[in-house]
Amino acid sequence: MPEVTRTVVGVVTASAAAGALDALIVPGRAFACRTADDELSLLSAPQVTDEVAREVATRLAVLDADALVIETTDGWAAIMVAGDDARASFGLLSRLELPERGFLQGEVVHVPAKVVADDDRVLILAPSMWEAHLHDRVTKTLGAPRPLETRPWTVPAR
């Protein structure tokens, strides 16, 4: 059975011209998820989220004077499925096909979600209004105990 934990992850949303986002040098403490041509979500450990937001805002201002960078952590709920069978377990939660490593968006337990896959762990982020549903469906489907242990997220190795 995989390990399922409530995960605290910092989220910064950057909106700018596509070319500016293409040219952005992402801080090493963040994981970049391109969510649209003109939008990037940057995930980080919670304790460095403010620093990531400042760095990204400073760098994007040079590339696009109209860029907008906002710390949006409170808008997201996250859960981590980890262990040797994490990827197979994710298949019980969604029809999405996980990349070897990386990011994708789509439906997970019938809600819109962002997913970051690593070797032996899968991070699922859903809008915070779906937090109770996300935790309930994941724990019931995967047979995880409730209440969930809470852990901070760490950026996957590159």
Side-chain angles (χ1 to χ4, degrees):
M1 179 168 74
E3 179 183 23
V4 179
T5 55
R6 180 178 180 274
T7 304
V8 183
V9 58
V11 183
V12 173
T13 301
S15 297
L21 293 177
D22 292 340
L24 176 68
I25 296 172
V26 175
R29 297 176 314 275
F31 183 85
C33 305
R34 191 68 172 260
T35 54
D37 271 353
D38 61 352
E39 185 177 276
L40 184 69
S41 290
L42 297 115
L43 310 180
S44 68
Q47 66 271 20
V48 299
T49 305
D50 290 340
E51 295 170 23
V52 168
R54 277 193 300 276
E55 284 181 40
V56 170
T58 301
R59 293 173 185 181
L60 270 181
V62 173
L63 301 168
D64 180 353
D66 295 323
L68 177 64
V69 177
I70 302 171
E71 191 271 326
T72 56
T73 299
D74 289 345
W76 298 97
I79 199 165
M80 178 75 71
V81 179
D84 292 339
D85 51 355
R87 298 175 72 83
S89 296
F90 180 78
L92 300 172
L93 306 172
S94 176
R95 292 182 178 174
L96 293 174
E97 206 167 310
L98 289 175
E100 280 299 311
R101 297 179 124 193
F103 165 75
L104 73 153
Q105 302 180 96
E107 188 177 284
V108 178
V109 295
H110 304 292
V111 297
K114 299 178 185 325
V115 178
V116 177
D118 203 0
D119 291 334
D120 62 350
R121 62 185 192 159
V122 179
L123 176 72
I124 304 165
L125 289 109
S128 59
M129 65 182 266
W130 292 107
E131 183 172 21
H133 173 79
L134 176 69
H135 291 184
D136 182 60
R137 291 297 302 251
V138 170
T139 55
K140 283 182 179 173
T141 302
L142 301 182
R146 283 205 46 129
L148 293 174
E149 181 180 341
T150 301
R151 292 192 186 149
W153 186 70
T154 56
V155 175
R158 296 177 200 232

